[in-house]
Coordinates of all heavy atoms in Angstrom, one line a residue:
M145 N 118.0 91.3 109.6 CA 116.7 91.1 108.8 C 115.6 92.0 109.4 O 115.3 91.9 110.6 CB 116.3 89.7 108.8 CG 117.1 88.9 107.8 SD 116.7 89.2 106.1 CE 115.1 88.5 105.9
M146 N 115.1 92.8 108.7 CA 114.0 93.8 109.1 C 112.7 93.1 108.7 O 112.4 92.9 107.5 CB 114.2 95.1 108.4 CG 113.4 96.2 109.1 SD 114.2 96.6 110.7 CE 115.6 97.5 110.2
P147 N 111.8 92.9 109.7 CA 110.4 92.4 109.3 C 109.7 93.3 108.4 O 109.8 94.6 108.6 CB 109.8 92.2 110.6 CG 110.8 92.3 111.7 CD 111.9 93.1 111.0
V148 N 109.0 92.8 107.4 CA 108.3 93.7 106.5 C 106.9 93.3 106.5 O 106.6 92.1 106.3 CB 108.8 93.6 105.1 CG1 108.0 94.5 104.1 CG2 110.3 94.1 105.1
V149 N 105.9 94.2 106.6 CA 104.5 93.9 106.6 C 103.9 94.8 105.5 O 104.5 95.7 105.0 CB 103.8 94.3 107.9 CG1 104.4 93.4 109.1 CG2 104.0 95.7 108.2
N150 N 102.7 94.5 105.1 CA 102.0 95.2 104.1 C 101.1 96.3 104.8 O 100.3 95.9 105.7 CB 101.2 94.4 103.2 CG 102.0 93.6 102.3 OD1 103.1 94.0 101.9 ND2 101.6 92.4 101.9
C151 N 101.1 97.5 104.4 CA 100.3 98.5 104.9 C 98.8 98.1 104.7 O 98.4 97.8 103.6 CB 100.5 99.8 104.2 SG 99.3 101.2 104.6
P152 N 98.0 98.0 105.8 CA 96.5 97.6 105.6 C 95.7 98.5 104.7 O 94.7 98.0 104.1 CB 96.0 97.6 107.1 CG 97.2 97.6 107.9 CD 98.3 98.3 107.1
T153 N 96.2 99.7 104.5 CA 95.4 100.7 103.8 C 95.8 100.6 102.3 O 94.9 100.5 101.4 CB 95.5 102.1 104.3 OG1 95.1 102.1 105.6 CG2 94.7 103.1 103.4
C154 N 97.0 100.7 102.0 CA 97.5 100.9 100.6 C 98.3 99.7 100.2 O 98.7 99.6 99.0 CB 98.3 102.2 100.4 SG 99.9 102.1 101.1
H155 N 98.6 98.8 101.0 CA 99.3 97.5 100.8 C 100.7 97.7 100.4 O 101.3 96.8 99.8 CB 98.5 96.6 99.7 CG 97.1 96.4 100.2 ND1 96.7 95.6 101.2 CD2 95.9 96.9 99.7 CE1 95.4 95.5 101.3 NE2 94.9 96.4 100.4
A156 N 101.3 98.9 100.6 CA 102.7 99.0 100.4 C 103.5 98.3 101.5 O 103.0 98.1 102.6 CB 103.0 100.5 100.5
K157 N 104.7 97.9 101.1 CA 105.6 97.2 102.0 C 106.1 98.2 103.1 O 106.6 99.3 102.7 CB 106.7 96.6 101.3 CG 106.3 95.4 100.5 CD 107.5 94.5 100.0 CE 107.0 93.4 99.1 NZ 105.9 92.7 99.6
V158 N 105.9 97.8 104.3 CA 106.4 98.7 105.4 C 107.4 97.9 106.3 O 107.1 96.8 106.7 CB 105.1 99.1 106.3 CG1 105.5 100.0 107.4 CG2 104.0 99.7 105.4
E159 N 108.5 98.5 106.6 CA 109.4 97.9 107.4 C 109.0 98.1 108.9 O 108.7 99.2 109.4 CB 110.9 98.6 107.2 CG 111.5 98.2 105.9 CD 112.9 98.7 105.9 OE1 113.3 99.5 106.7 OE2 113.6 98.3 104.9
W160 N 108.9 96.9 109.6 CA 108.5 97.0 111.0 C 109.7 97.4 111.9 O 110.4 96.5 112.4 CB 107.9 95.6 111.3 CG 107.2 95.6 112.6 CD1 107.7 95.6 113.8 CD2 105.8 95.6 112.8 NE1 106.8 95.6 114.8 CE2 105.5 95.6 114.2 CE3 104.7 95.5 112.0 CZ2 104.3 95.5 114.8 CZ3 103.4 95.5 112.6 CH2 103.3 95.5 113.9
T161 N 109.8 98.7 112.0 CA 111.0 99.1 112.9 C 110.4 100.0 114.1 O 109.3 100.5 114.0 CB 111.9 100.0 112.0 OG1 111.2 101.1 111.7 CG2 112.3 99.3 110.8
E162 N 111.3 100.2 115.0 CA 110.9 101.0 116.1 C 110.7 102.4 115.7 O 109.9 103.2 116.3 CB 112.0 100.9 117.2 CG 112.1 99.6 117.9 CD 110.9 99.3 118.8 OE1 110.4 100.3 119.4 OE2 110.5 98.2 118.9
A163 N 111.4 102.8 114.7 CA 111.3 104.2 114.2 C 110.0 104.4 113.5 O 109.6 105.6 113.4 CB 112.4 104.4 113.1
N164 N 109.3 103.4 113.0 CA 108.1 103.6 112.3 C 106.9 103.5 113.3 O 106.4 102.5 113.6 CB 107.9 102.6 111.3 CG 106.6 102.8 110.5 OD1 105.9 103.7 110.7 ND2 106.2 101.7 109.7
K165 N 106.5 104.7 113.8 CA 105.5 104.7 114.8 C 104.1 104.5 114.3 O 103.1 104.4 115.0 CB 105.5 106.0 115.6 CG 105.3 107.3 114.7 CD 105.4 108.5 115.6 CE 105.2 109.8 114.8 NZ 105.2 111.0 115.6
Y166 N 104.0 104.5 112.9 CA 102.7 104.2 112.3 C 102.5 102.8 111.9 O 101.4 102.4 111.4 CB 102.5 105.1 111.0 CG 102.7 106.6 111.4 CD1 103.8 107.3 110.7 CD2 102.0 107.2 112.3 CE1 103.9 108.7 111.0 CE2 102.1 108.6 112.6 CZ 103.1 109.3 112.0 OH 103.3 110.6 112.2
R167 N 103.4 102.0 112.2 CA 103.4 100.6 111.8 C 102.1 99.9 112.4 O 101.7 100.3 113.5 CB 104.6 99.7 112.2 CG 104.7 99.7 113.8 CD 106.0 99.0 114.1 NE 106.2 98.8 115.5 CZ 106.7 99.7 116.4 NH1 107.1 100.8 116.0 NH2 106.8 99.4 117.7
P168 N 101.4 99.0 111.7 CA 101.8 98.4 110.4 C 101.5 99.3 109.2 O 101.5 98.9 108.2 CB 100.9 97.2 110.4 CG 99.7 97.5 111.1 CD 100.1 98.5 112.2
F169 N 101.1 100.6 109.5 CA 100.8 101.4 108.3 C 102.1 102.1 107.8 O 103.0 102.2 108.5 CB 99.7 102.5 108.7 CG 98.5 102.0 109.3 CD1 98.3 101.7 110.6 CD2 97.5 101.6 108.4 CE1 97.2 101.2 111.2 CE2 96.3 101.0 108.9 CZ 96.2 100.9 110.3
C170 N 102.0 102.6 106.5 CA 103.2 103.2 106.0 C 103.4 104.6 106.4 O 104.4 105.1 106.2 CB 103.2 102.9 104.4 SG 101.9 103.9 103.6
S171 N 102.2 105.2 106.8 CA 102.2 106.6 107.1 C 101.1 107.0 107.9 O 100.2 106.2 108.2 CB 102.1 107.4 105.7 OG 100.9 107.2 105.1
E172 N 101.2 108.2 108.5 CA 100.1 108.6 109.4 C 98.8 108.7 108.6 O 97.7 108.5 109.1 CB 100.4 110.0 109.9 CG 99.3 110.5 110.8 CD 99.7 111.8 111.5 OE1 100.6 112.5 111.0 OE2 99.1 112.2 112.5
R173 N 98.9 109.1 107.3 CA 97.7 109.2 106.5 C 97.0 107.9 106.3 O 95.8 107.8 106.5 CB 98.1 109.8 105.1 CG 97.0 109.9 104.1 CD 97.5 110.6 102.8 NE 96.5 110.4 101.8 CZ 96.5 109.3 100.9 NH1 97.4 108.3 101.1 NH2 95.6 109.2 100.0
C174 N 97.8 106.9 106.1 CA 97.1 105.5 105.9 C 96.5 105.1 107.2 O 95.5 104.4 107.3 CB 98.1 104.6 105.4 SG 98.3 104.7 103.6
K175 N 97.2 105.5 108.3 CA 96.6 105.0 109.6 C 95.3 105.7 109.9 O 94.3 105.2 110.3 CB 97.6 105.4 110.7 CG 97.2 105.0 112.1 CD 98.2 105.4 113.1 CE 97.7 104.9 114.5 NZ 98.7 105.2 115.6
Q176 N 95.2 107.1 109.6 CA 94.0 107.8 109.8 C 92.9 107.3 108.9 O 91.7 107.2 109.2 CB 94.2 109.3 109.5 CG 95.2 109.9 110.5 CD 94.6 109.8 111.9 OE1 93.4 110.0 112.1 NE2 95.4 109.7 112.9
I177 N 93.2 107.0 107.6 CA 92.2 106.4 106.7 C 91.7 105.2 107.2 O 90.4 104.9 107.2 CB 92.9 106.2 105.3 CG1 93.2 107.5 104.7 CG2 92.0 105.3 104.4 CD1 93.9 107.4 103.3
D178 N 92.5 104.2 107.7 CA 92.0 103.0 108.2 C 91.1 103.2 109.4 O 90.1 102.6 109.6 CB 93.2 102.1 108.6 CG 92.7 100.6 108.9 OD1 92.3 100.0 108.0 OD2 92.6 100.3 110.1
L179 N 91.5 104.0 110.4 CA 90.7 104.3 111.6 C 89.5 104.9 111.3 O 88.4 104.7 111.8 CB 91.6 105.2 112.5 CG 92.8 104.5 113.2 CD1 93.5 105.5 114.0 CD2 92.3 103.3 114.0
G180 N 89.5 105.8 110.3 CA 88.3 106.5 109.8 C 87.3 105.5 109.2 O 86.1 105.6 109.4
A181 N 87.8 104.6 108.4 CA 86.9 103.6 107.7 C 86.3 102.7 108.8 O 85.1 102.4 108.7 CB 87.7 102.8 106.7
W182 N 87.1 102.4 109.7 CA 86.6 101.5 110.8 C 85.4 102.2 111.6 O 84.4 101.7 111.9 CB 87.8 101.1 111.7 CG 87.3 100.1 112.7 CD1 87.3 98.7 112.6 CD2 86.9 100.3 114.0 NE1 86.9 98.1 113.7 CE2 86.6 99.0 114.7 CE3 86.7 101.4 114.9 CZ2 86.1 99.0 115.9 CZ3 86.2 101.3 116.1 CH2 85.9 100.0 116.7
A183 N 85.7 103.5 111.9 CA 84.7 104.3 112.7 C 83.4 104.4 111.9 O 82.3 104.4 112.4 CB 85.3 105.6 113.1
E184 N 83.6 104.7 110.6 CA 82.4 104.9 109.7 C 81.6 103.7 109.7 O 80.4 103.8 109.7 CB 83.0 105.3 108.4 CG 81.9 106.1 107.5 CD 82.6 106.6 106.3 OE1 83.6 107.3 106.4 OE2 82.1 106.2 105.2
E185 N 82.2 102.6 109.5 CA 81.5 101.3 109.5 C 80.7 101.0 110.8 O 79.6 100.6 110.8 CB 82.5 100.1 109.2 CG 81.8 98.8 109.0 CD 82.9 97.8 108.6 OE1 84.0 98.1 108.2 OE2 82.5 96.5 108.6
K186 N 81.4 101.3 111.9 CA 80.9 101.1 113.2 C 79.6 102.0 113.4 O 78.6 101.5 113.9 CB 81.9 101.5 114.3 CG 81.4 101.4 115.7 CD 82.5 101.9 116.7 CE 81.9 102.0 118.1 NZ 82.9 102.5 119.0
Y187 N 79.6 103.2 112.9 CA 78.4 104.0 113.0 C 77.3 103.8 112.1 O 76.2 104.2 112.3 CB 78.9 105.5 113.0 CG 79.7 106.0 114.2 CD1 81.0 106.5 114.0 CD2 79.2 105.8 115.4 CE1 81.7 106.9 115.1 CE2 80.0 106.1 116.6 CZ 81.2 106.7 116.4 OH 82.0 107.1 117.5
T188 N 77.6 103.1 110.9 CA 76.7 102.8 110.0 C 75.8 101.6 110.3 O 74.6 101.6 110.1 CB 77.4 102.4 108.6 OG1 78.1 103.6 108.3 CG2 76.4 102.1 107.6
I189 N 76.3 100.7 111.1 CA 75.6 99.5 111.5 C 74.3 99.8 112.2 O 73.2 99.3 111.8 CB 76.4 98.6 112.3 CG1 77.5 97.9 111.3 CG2 75.6 97.4 112.9 CD1 78.5 97.1 112.0
P190 N 74.2 100.6 113.3 CA 73.0 100.8 114.1 C 72.0 101.6 113.3 O 70.8 101.5 113.5 CB 73.5 101.6 115.3 CG 74.9 101.8 115.2 CD 75.4 101.2 113.9
A191 N 72.4 102.4 112.2 CA 71.6 103.2 111.5 C 70.8 102.3 110.4 O 69.8 102.7 109.9 CB 72.3 104.3 110.8
A192 N 71.3 101.2 110.1 CA 70.8 100.4 109.0 C 69.5 99.7 109.5 O 69.5 99.0 110.6 CB 71.8 99.3 108.5
D193 N 68.4 99.8 108.9 CA 67.2 99.1 109.3 C 66.8 98.2 108.2 O 66.3 98.6 107.1 CB 66.1 100.2 109.4 CG 64.8 99.6 110.1 OD1 64.8 98.4 110.1 OD2 63.9 100.4 110.3
P194 N 66.9 96.9 108.4 CA 66.6 95.9 107.4 C 65.1 95.9 107.0 O 64.8 95.5 105.9 CB 67.0 94.6 108.1 CG 67.0 94.8 109.6 CD 67.4 96.3 109.7
L195 N 64.2 96.4 107.8 CA 62.8 96.4 107.5 C 62.5 97.4 106.4 O 61.5 97.2 105.7 CB 62.0 96.7 108.7 CG 62.0 95.6 109.8 CD1 61.2 96.1 111.0 CD2 61.5 94.3 109.3
E196 N 63.4 98.3 106.2 CA 63.2 99.4 105.2 C 63.9 99.1 104.0 O 63.9 99.9 103.0 CB 63.6 100.7 105.7 CG 62.6 101.1 106.9 CD 62.8 102.6 107.2 OE1 63.7 103.3 106.6 OE2 62.0 103.1 108.1
D197 N 64.6 98.0 103.9 CA 65.3 97.6 102.7 C 64.6 96.4 102.0 O 64.6 95.3 102.5 CB 66.7 97.2 103.1 CG 67.6 96.9 101.9 OD1 67.0 96.9 100.8 OD2 68.8 96.6 102.0
P198 N 64.0 96.6 100.8 CA 63.2 95.6 100.1 C 64.1 94.4 99.8 O 63.6 93.3 99.6 CB 62.7 96.3 98.9 CG 63.5 97.5 98.7 CD 64.0 97.9 100.2
L199 N 65.4 94.6 99.6 CA 66.3 93.5 99.2 C 66.4 92.5 100.3 O 66.8 91.4 100.1 CB 67.7 94.0 98.8 CG 67.6 94.9 97.5 CD1 69.0 95.4 97.2 CD2 67.2 94.1 96.3
Q200 N 66.1 92.9 101.5 CA 66.2 92.0 102.7 C 65.0 91.3 103.0 O 64.9 90.4 103.8 CB 66.6 92.9 103.9 CG 67.9 93.6 103.9 CD 69.0 92.6 103.8 OE1 69.0 91.6 104.4 NE2 70.1 92.9 103.0
D201 N 63.9 91.6 102.3 CA 62.6 90.9 102.4 C 62.3 89.9 101.3 O 62.1 90.4 100.2 CB 61.5 92.0 102.5 CG 60.1 91.3 102.8 OD1 60.0 90.0 102.9 OD2 59.2 92.1 103.0
P202 N 62.4 88.6 101.5 CA 62.2 87.7 100.4 C 60.7 87.7 99.9 O 60.6 87.2 98.7 CB 62.5 86.3 101.1 CG 62.2 86.6 102.6 CD 62.6 88.0 102.9
L203 N 59.8 88.2 100.6 CA 58.4 88.3 100.1 C 58.2 89.5 99.1 O 57.3 89.5 98.4 CB 57.4 88.3 101.2 CG 57.5 87.1 102.1 CD1 56.4 87.3 103.2 CD2 57.0 85.8 101.3
A204 N 59.0 90.4 99.1 CA 58.8 91.6 98.5 C 58.9 91.5 96.9 O 58.0 92.1 96.2 CB 59.9 92.7 98.8
D205 N 59.5 90.5 96.5 CA 59.6 90.2 95.0 C 58.4 89.4 94.5 O 58.1 89.4 93.3 CB 60.9 89.5 94.7 CG 62.1 90.3 94.8 OD1 62.0 91.5 94.7 OD2 63.1 89.8 95.1
H206 N 57.7 88.8 95.4 CA 56.5 87.9 95.0 C 55.2 88.6 95.1 O 54.2 88.1 94.6 CB 56.5 86.6 95.7 CG 57.9 85.9 95.6 ND1 58.2 85.3 94.4 CD2 58.8 85.6 96.5 CE1 59.4 84.8 94.5 NE2 59.8 85.0 95.8
E207 N 55.2 89.6 95.9 CA 53.9 90.3 96.0 C 53.6 91.4 95.0 O 54.5 92.4 95.0 CB 53.8 90.9 97.5 CG 53.5 89.9 98.5 CD 53.3 90.5 100.0 OE1 53.8 91.6 100.2 OE2 52.7 89.9 100.7
P208 N 52.6 91.4 94.3 CA 52.4 92.5 93.3 C 51.9 93.7 94.0 O 51.2 93.7 95.0 CB 51.1 91.9 92.5 CG 50.5 90.9 93.4 CD 51.5 90.3 94.3
K209 N 52.5 94.8 93.6 CA 52.3 96.0 94.3 C 51.2 96.8 93.5 O 51.2 97.0 92.3 CB 53.6 97.0 94.2 CG 54.6 96.3 95.1 CD 55.9 97.2 95.1 CE 57.0 96.6 95.9 NZ 58.2 97.4 96.0
P210 N 50.0 97.1 94.3 CA 48.9 97.9 93.7 C 49.4 99.3 93.3 O 50.2 99.9 94.0 CB 47.9 98.0 94.9 CG 48.7 97.8 96.1 CD 49.9 96.9 95.7
H211 N 48.8 99.7 92.2 CA 49.2 101.0 91.7 C 48.2 102.0 92.1 O 47.0 101.8 92.0 CB 49.4 101.0 90.2 CG 50.7 100.3 89.8 ND1 51.9 100.8 89.9 CD2 50.7 99.0 89.4 CE1 52.7 99.8 89.4 NE2 52.1 98.8 89.1
Ligands
LIG19 ZN1 99.9 102.9 103.3

């Protein structure tokens, strides 16, 4: 019985074998995509400034803005 997992990137079934060096991914491409997405998310967090996002300020919707 070969263990089967789902590729985290494309959700294809992947046989968990010694021969599959990209496991749990189905391919090198899916592995790179997942690592890239993770790195991108990591670098996005410090750049986000909640003070500059009006959706993060509950008072923004109640204060009339002068024109
Ligand atoms: Zn995949």
Side-chain angles (χ1 to χ4, degrees):
M145 281 292 287
M146 200 71 75
V148 176
V149 298
N150 288 327
C151 171
T153 300
C154 71
H155 305 290
K157 291 196 183 311
V158 181
E159 289 186 351
W160 190 283
T161 66
E162 290 292 324
N164 181 9
K165 61 180 178 180
Y166 303 121
R167 65 187 187 273
F169 302 94
C170 67
S171 64
E172 182 177 15
R173 179 174 164 272
C174 278
K175 183 178 181 180
Q176 292 299 325
I177 289 174
D178 188 77
L179 291 177
W182 187 86
E184 202 171 304
E185 188 177 345
K186 177 184 174 186
Y187 288 126
T188 299
I189 291 172
D193 188 351
L195 294 178
E196 293 192 356
D197 186 352
L199 295 177
Q200 296 294 324
D201 185 355
L203 296 177
D205 289 334
H206 302 291
E207 285 187 332
K209 292 182 179 179
H211 289 283

